[in-house]
Amino acid sequence: MTGAPVKRYTLFRVFKYAVYLLLTCNVYAFFTENHAAAGAVFAHGLQFGKLIEAYNDSIDTLSWVLLLLVFELETFVLSDDKIRGWVKWSLNAVSAFCYLFILYSFYGYVAEMASLTHLLPLQQSACDLASQGGWLLAVGQDDYVPLTANNCAALADAHVLRQGGIQVLATVDTWNEIKWLAATDVVNAAAWVLVVVILAFDVWLQLRNELSDSMMRYSQVIKVLLYSTLMLCAIYWGINGSFLDFWDAFLWLVAFFFIEMNLFEWQAETSAE
């Protein structure tokens, strides 16, 4: 009888770490997507100040993967007596590094959304701009194609706007879709920041043996609301965004479900003792 629970526990751990591995692979997937978009939008050179805006998805995902590993070490892998001295300071240093880039990525999402408020009418027809070369047509968020004589003709009867500061244009409908997706990015990033702040506070209390059952319940209520918001963002991406955005959001929810389980079991063990 003892073999079945052990086998289920082993399968559970394999599944958990498979999810973590998939999230690590998503870093490369987002880098590829961001690099292609940055090469199109910043064809004349990418300034350092625009780096976070161009690669915000990949930088954000890498920071989150590192932070996820820190939480896994704190809540499951390492025993309480091991999180002392240089181990504790090392984990705190990695966490601080991740929080810095997560907040910076959040700024990148806000900056991207703000840039979409600066849309200008065309001074020339789309086909005139196509003949000049160097212009891009936005067909979705971070999805651009060169503006050519073939695709500009389809814009003749459409209301077309250009984005200020760069040579990108799109129809009003496409800009509206991109704005909603950018706003979803901001809401999603803000909700995740609040989740990890609360989770880090829970871990800090637990290490001090001060995470009571009542505190745990209040924390769970708030996080349920935040996780529900994140689920709605994932669903919106699944309907209107890219599959990669939806898949990444879904995996992160699963991954932090594991962290929450780790914390729940950790707190239950401490209470029993």
Side-chain angles (χ1 to χ4, degrees):
M1 293 297 291
T2 59
V6 170
K7 185 177 181 180
R8 286 197 297 269
Y9 182 69
T10 301
L11 290 175
F12 173 79
R13 292 186 65 181
V14 169
F15 175 65
K16 176 170 71 170
Y17 291 122
V19 170
Y20 293 176
L21 180 60
L22 287 172
L23 285 170
T24 304
C25 293
N26 280 359
V27 176
Y28 176 75
F30 276 117
F31 175 81
T32 303
E33 185 180 86
N34 288 163
H35 187 68
V41 176
F42 303 100
H44 301 294
L46 178 61
Q47 299 176 352
F48 180 78
K50 293 290 185 178
L51 187 64
I52 188 67
E53 185 177 339
Y55 290 93
N56 56 352
D57 293 324
S58 47
I59 293 173
D60 187 44
T61 303
L62 176 59
S63 301
W64 277 103
V65 168
L66 292 175
L67 187 61
L68 176 67
L69 296 179
V70 170
F71 278 129
E72 178 68 13
L73 289 171
E74 291 178 331
T75 61
F76 183 77
V77 176
L78 298 176
S79 59
D80 294 9
D81 61 315
K82 296 292 184 182
I83 308 178
R84 299 286 189 274
W86 70 269
V87 174
K88 178 181 178 181
W89 288 108
S90 298
L91 292 174
N92 289 342
V94 174
S95 297
F97 175 82
C98 294
Y99 289 135
L100 177 64
F101 279 96
I102 287 170
L103 291 175
Y104 197 24
S105 294
F106 175 69
Y107 162 77
Y109 290 121
V110 174
E112 182 179 358
M113 186 177 70
S115 69
L116 295 173
T117 63
H118 191 46
L119 300 176
L120 305 171
L122 297 182
Q123 300 299 321
Q124 300 171 264
S125 70
C127 288
D128 287 340
L129 296 175
S131 64
Q132 297 175 12
W135 282 81
L136 298 173
L137 175 64
V139 295
Q141 188 182 37
D142 297 328
D143 190 5
Y144 308 93
V145 296
L147 183 65
T148 65
N150 292 328
N151 56 28
C152 76
L155 304 175
D157 298 325
H159 187 192
V160 181
L161 299 174
R162 57 162 296 187
Q163 188 172 356
I166 55 177
Q167 292 181 305
V168 176
L169 56 81
T171 65
V172 171
D173 290 340
T174 300
W175 283 128
N176 287 335
E177 292 175 3
I178 294 173
K179 285 180 180 179
W180 277 105
L181 289 170
T184 304
D185 287 339
V186 172
V187 171
N188 179 77
W192 273 119
V193 168
L194 292 175
V195 165
V196 295
V197 167
I198 297 172
L199 188 55
F201 184 64
D202 288 343
V203 171
W204 180 74
L205 288 176
Q206 179 63 21
L207 288 172
R208 295 165 58 91
N209 293 322
E210 296 177 2
L211 184 59
S212 64
D213 292 340
S214 59
M215 287 289 294
M216 192 72 171
R217 284 194 296 271
Y218 290 135
S219 173
Q220 288 174 341
V221 168
I222 297 172
K223 282 187 286 188
V224 163
L225 295 175
L226 292 172
Y227 285 131
S228 299
T229 300
L230 294 167
M231 177 60 74
L232 290 175
C233 290
I235 293 172
Y236 183 79
W237 280 322
I239 297 173
N240 298 295
S242 67
F243 175 77
L244 178 59
D245 287 332
F246 167 77
W247 178 242
D248 183 70
F250 174 74
L251 288 179
W252 278 113
L253 286 170
V254 174
F256 270 81
F257 171 75
F258 293 140
I259 298 298
E260 295 291 349
M261 287 184 63
N262 292 346
L263 181 62
F264 179 79
E265 292 177 3
W266 184 17
Q267 194 267 346
E269 290 173 1
T270 303
S271 298
E273 293 173 359

